[in-house]
Amino acid sequence: MRRDEIPPGTLYLLILRTLARSDEMHGYEIANSIQRMSEDILQVEEGSLYPALQRMLIKGWVTAKWGATAGNRRARYYQLTAAGRKQLTVEMSQFARIIGATMRVIEVV
């Protein structure tokens, strides 16, 4: 199956929404969840995911702590903060506006 690029400006939304569904996740779990939920259409590359998570840490949208995976590998686990939940609402609202406007432009009459 062909994978498409993640639309610009939606990576934060995808990460925030994925973390909202779980207590905490490490980076690989986040990327895997997005890919699975999109039915293998969206794939988040490590080169995009980890810098985005770092920016989200700085913004206070997520917290992180070191832990061990089920396979006993060291991993950083991310959890949504109250500010992150608020930002998720903002991101979802903006996305809905953009999708609605795009659909109006491309809609066949």
Side-chain angles (χ1 to χ4, degrees), residues 10-23 25 30 33-34 37 56 61-62 80 84-85 87-89 91-92:
T10 60
L11 184 56
Y12 287 150
L13 170 62
L14 295 172
I15 294 170
L16 290 168
R17 184 65 184 114
T18 300
L19 287 172
R21 291 186 178 108
S22 178
D23 183 38
M25 299 175 92
I30 294 168
S33 179
I34 291 169
M37 294 294 291
M56 294 168 75
W61 299 346
V62 297
L80 207 54
R85 290 190 190 286
Q87 186 62 32
L88 173 58
T89 301
E91 297 282 335
M92 289 180 70

Side-chain angles (χ1 to χ4, degrees), residues 52-71:
L53 284 166
Q54 186 60 37
R55 290 189 301 272
M56 294 168 75
L57 275 167
I58 292 167
K59 292 174 186 274
W61 299 346
V62 297
T63 59
K65 65 180 180 182
W66 289 100
T69 66

